[in-house]
Amino acid sequence: MSAVSVMEKPATPAQEQPFGETVYHLQKGDQGIALDIKDFNLWYGDRQALHGVNLTVERGLVTALIGPSGCGKSTLLRSLNRMNDLVDGLSITGKVVLDQVDIYDPRTDVIALRKRMGMVFQKPNPFPMSIYENVIYPLRVDGVRDKRLLDETVERALKGSALWDEVKDRLDQSALGMSGGQQQRLCIARAIVGDPEVLLMDEPCSALDPIATAKVEELIDELGGHYTIVIVTHNMQQAARVSHNTAFMYLGRLIEYGKTETMFTTPKLGRTLDYVTGRFG
Amino acid sequence: MSSLQDTVNPQDASSYDSAAGVHRREAVVYPAARGEPKLWSLGGTLAFGVLMITGFLILVLWNGIATFWPKPIAVVTLADGKIVAGEQTREELFKPTADQLAKLTPQLRAVIAKDDGYATRRLYRTGNFDFYGDDSKWVADYDVAKVDYPRDMVLAERREWGPFVGRLKAVVLDGVERPVTDPSEGWVRDALGQAQARLAQIRKLERDEIGGINHKLEQERLALRRVLLKSGADSAAYGEAQAKFAAREAELKKQYEALSAEAQALKGRNERDRIILTEVGGAEKSLPLSVIVRAYDANDIGLGAKLAVYGSRWAEFLTDEPREANTEGGVMPAIFGTFAMTVLLSLIVAPFGVLTALYLREYAKQGRIVAFVRISVNNLAGVPSIVYGVFGLGFFAYILGGSIDRLFFPEYLPNPTFGTGGLLWAALTLAIMTVPVVIVATEEALAAVPRSMREGSLACGASKWQTIRMIVLPRAMPGIMTGLILAMARGAGEVAPLMLVGVVKLAPELPIDGYFPFVHLERSFMHLGFHIFDVGFQSRNSEAGKPMVFVTTLLLIALIAIMNATAITIRNRLKKKFAGSQF
Ligand SMILES: Nc1ncnc2c1ncn2[C@@H]1O[C@H](COP(=O)(O)OP(=O)(O)OP(=O)(O)O)[C@@H](O)[C@H]1O
Ligand SMILES: [Mg+2]
């Protein structure tokens, strides 16, 4: 946190008119930009779900996406690793740039792209196999056979997701026999086992109890310095606790994007204030 | 309930309402809204179905189990002095004709008239087909003077002419006639055992060794023909091959002579040991001992001996080949054929159905064409199975098999190899017939794999195929197995199409034997389903075949049940692996 400088874009006066310009006052990391989303529009069939989103994700920081239900948070998140490709009738305009390359360029290798990004879903989705096999799934996909390497990786990933002590004696048992919180941490282990640059999390704690939530939050904190994390959450306290920058979305638009502290105390727009204080949403 | 109603007087209640000025809407309760009146009909239908199936199973089970149990032999003396001996198999009520009634005494006629013109008659399995020209005889109760169960009655099962019912007179060993009446006496059993052992040896000689020589000879002949077809009759190669063939042939002929002399000697020995039986009418029959399969004194054996007979009949049934136009002996080739065909069918239908469903569900662009294909596939399940038989014969056997023969087996022509019905074509035909079941089940199973799991896999950087192979297919496996089980059950019980594409009444050779290439998929085979049809309704005397129908049905049901149980066990194991608590 110490190496973070604060940059404020010239503040536009808060307009409560339909939708004004997005207001930016994000903090910059010292490692540059991880993802640059430029003029991104997205349609499901002929319904537009994202309207001209411009957003940069700072490398090494945790970015939270908040906003009322149905505002397009998941859609935006899933656009980042092209999970939306599975949806029929999807169309987009604009760019998402990762390392100078537009991920929507037809020449982009989607599989290689997804390997650079881990993803954790709202509901834990362990595969119907052993805990061990679940964790090393991304490596299996890559055809890694070296048993020693796999063992080490499993241990590292499970320690990284604070699960090692709980499951080290039953790695060969089915992952489906774990509790929901354990399953979610297993999914986090699976997401970080390939050492991705970016970790995408879509409401990772929505199915968890407070204790498991605390564990996952702790984990996000620990992972924070190492990975670039984009997290969708409905939990304002959580966003405030774990993130450096927060983006507030409303009806498919990015309304305000800035430093988390500011967003939750003195946001530039009234609409944001209303939302974070719970006056609407 | 009634006491409660008594306390509330409806008259009071209404007067109270009107007094308070409350206007209550008259509650009309439709009969359909009260209780579940249709439940009775639904439950009744189910009960009816269950009852029919249970009844059918009990009928098959009871008759199948009882068939081989040794029954006592009744000796029935008729009013006119004739004697009938045999096992009673059935009894029923019948209406004697006017002719028959005319011959009866007035008292008897009165008794029958009192029973509305009905009388009882019993069916006796008399055996001795060679004497009577029939296996069984109906005897009306009013004709019977007396029924005895003499202790010396013997039932001897023979390899020819069916069972013999009568008395044992003597056994001739090495030309010495030794009188005996009890077939369970030690030395008689020993002699019988020896005769049967010699018979087995003769069989072995004829089938395995001489058969082997014939096989070699045939191979040589085919090799010669191949050279002829390849190089022509005038070529040097053909001359050479001819010379070689002649030498080989002479050598094999010599081996053949030696073996057949050996077999002949054994046969002569078996001709000398004889058994002499007398029929109830007094006629005598001398038979080689080796013709007897088993003989027992039916009215004089204890429970242990009965159990032994019962067990040995089952053993023979399960492990032997049929004889006497399939009405006796065993059904081992049919069991084997049914099993082999079902396994082959599953091996074909599983990949075929699963791949089709995978393409339809996962890769094909969902649209009109796919919808049309799907409807067509579903409709395929409704085509009568005999149509598949015709298709299998026409396409697989004649077109496909014919081409294979011309390309790979020209030396066998004009005898077809693959160009006629056989195990492979039968399995393929049934596979086409049952593949819709597998496709539909697999599609459903694939659709039921949660989207979150696919997304999880894709997000890990897995390709679509990797996701399908490592996540989707294993997860869908129990559902796929269900489809496969249904397909198997349908295929194993199907008979009609098989009659066209490879099932025969009697197949001399099993599809698997000791000759290269060991598995002969082109061979025709026997099938339990067809066996039931053949034994029960196509044989010379259906009365003799009837018990076999029940036993074979029992066996077929048991075989299908065992195969299904195995598949279901595997499926449940898979299910347990993939179904865990989510939270
Ligand atoms: N596969 C889809 N096909 C069509 N419309 C979709 C699809 N997924 C989402 N949408 C629509 O896009 C809009 C944004 O949905 P999205 O899931 O991104 O919302 P969200 O902000 O994640 O909401 P929540 O907080 O409830 O998860 C919604 O109006 C939704 O109905
Ligand atoms: Mg969402």
Side-chain angles (χ1 to χ4, degrees), chain A residues 159-209:
Chain A
K159 278 182 174 158
S161 64
L163 195 57
W164 175 253
D165 291 327
E166 284 161 70
V167 300
K168 62 170 184 260
D169 300 322
R170 50 174 184 136
L171 290 177
D172 55 344
Q173 287 176 22
S174 169
L176 300 181
M178 305 165 86
S179 77
Q182 289 174 325
Q183 289 185 355
Q184 192 62 307
R185 277 179 283 150
L186 180 72
C187 291
I188 295 176
R190 192 173 72 197
I192 61 175
V193 77
D195 224 4
E197 296 162 36
V198 182
L199 198 53
L200 308 173
M201 303 175 123
D202 192 351
E203 301 182 43
C205 301
S206 64
L208 304 186
D209 68 71

Side-chain angles (χ1 to χ4, degrees), chain B residues 114-256:
Chain B
K114 214 179 77 203
D115 292 334
D116 295 331
Y118 281 103
T120 313
R121 62 177 183 179
R122 294 162 203 272
L123 183 67
Y124 287 96
R125 180 161 166 252
T126 57
N128 304 6
F129 192 84
D130 38 346
F131 284 107
Y132 312 147
D134 204 348
D135 262 327
S136 44
K137 194 169 168 61
W138 282 107
V139 176
D141 272 5
Y142 53 71
D143 276 338
V144 176
K146 107 181 139 96
V147 180
D148 286 321
Y149 291 91
R151 319 207 80 182
D152 56 351
M153 289 307 289
V154 166
L155 187 122
E157 288 169 44
R158 302 176 290 182
R159 280 176 218 287
E160 292 148 13
W161 296 112
F164 186 97
V165 174
R167 294 183 168 84
L168 179 59
K169 186 174 169 223
V171 170
V172 185
L173 289 181
D174 294 320
V176 185
E177 186 170 321
R178 299 166 69 173
V180 62
T181 55
D182 185 358
S184 56
E185 224 156 282
W187 65 269
V188 180
R189 281 163 169 272
D190 288 348
L192 189 57
Q194 281 164 18
Q196 279 167 353
R198 277 195 294 271
L199 193 72
Q201 207 181 341
I202 294 169
R203 260 210 208 159
K204 187 170 171 299
L205 274 176
E206 284 183 341
R207 179 179 307 183
D208 295 354
E209 314 216 351
I210 298 181
I213 287 173
N214 283 337
H215 178 77
K216 276 186 206 152
L217 202 60
E218 184 63 19
Q219 292 302 316
E220 296 291 337
R221 201 168 284 138
L222 288 169
L224 181 68
R225 207 168 133 67
R226 228 167 313 179
V227 176
L228 172 71
L229 288 176
K230 201 171 143 215
S231 325
D234 310 323
S235 64
Y238 183 57
E240 219 170 89
Q242 250 179 332
K244 210 177 114 205
F245 174 72
R248 264 312 263 164
E249 191 183 24
E251 188 186 324
L252 287 169
K253 278 255 164 71
K254 218 181 329 166
Q255 289 177 21
Y256 172 85

Side-chain angles (χ1 to χ4, degrees), chain B residues 444-513:
Chain B
E444 258 155 36
L446 290 176
V449 176
R451 194 191 155 97
S452 66
M453 254 176 215
R454 294 165 197 263
E455 288 187 343
S457 168
L458 290 171
C460 286
S463 66
K464 185 165 186 179
W465 173 240
Q466 281 174 320
T467 302
I468 288 174
R469 189 168 53 86
M470 295 159 81
I471 307 291
V472 175
L473 270 187
R475 209 9 241 249
M477 208 40 113
I480 297 175
M481 288 291 290
T482 305
L484 212 55
I485 291 165
L486 289 175
M488 236 171 71
R490 167 126 197 249
E494 193 61 65
V495 179
L498 293 181
M499 299 201 295
L500 298 181
V501 290
V503 161
V504 289
K505 190 178 157 68
L506 190 67
E509 295 158 309
L510 290 181
I512 294 181
D513 63 18

Side-chain angles (χ1 to χ4, degrees), chain A residues 69-75 78 122 202-203 232 234:
Chain A
S69 185
C71 69
K73 306 179 297 288
S74 298
T75 303
R78 291 159 55 87
Q122 181 169 355
D202 192 351
E203 301 182 43
V232 173
H234 275 293

Side-chain angles (χ1 to χ4, degrees), chain A residues 42 44-45 47-50 67-78 84 87-88 90 122 202-203 232-234 249, chain B residues 451:
Chain A
L42 183 144
Y44 288 116
R47 260 195 58 218
Q48 189 163 9
L50 293 177
S69 185
C71 69
K73 306 179 297 288
S74 298
T75 303
L76 182 61
L77 193 76
R78 291 159 55 87
N84 279 330
V87 179
D88 281 335
L90 186 96
Q122 181 169 355
D202 192 351
E203 301 182 43
V232 173
T233 177
H234 275 293
M249 293 179 69
Chain B
R451 194 191 155 97

Side-chain angles (χ1 to χ4, degrees), chain B residues 246-314:
Chain B
R248 264 312 263 164
E249 191 183 24
E251 188 186 324
L252 287 169
K253 278 255 164 71
K254 218 181 329 166
Q255 289 177 21
Y256 172 85
E257 304 282 315
L259 285 171
S260 90
E262 197 179 329
Q264 217 49 53
L266 283 169
K267 274 187 192 165
R269 178 77 183 74
N270 260 359
E271 274 299 314
R272 264 185 294 142
D273 289 354
R274 300 186 80 83
I275 185 167
I276 298 169
L277 297 156
T278 53
E279 178 258 344
V280 274
E284 215 166 86
K285 183 103 185 170
S286 165
L287 292 165
L289 202 50
S290 60
V291 163
I292 306 296
V293 179
R294 72 177 67 73
Y296 59 91
D297 37 352
N299 297 338
D300 196 26
I301 57 174
L303 186 66
K306 273 187 182 169
L307 276 174
V309 170
Y310 185 68
S312 85
R313 277 178 174 167
W314 266 109

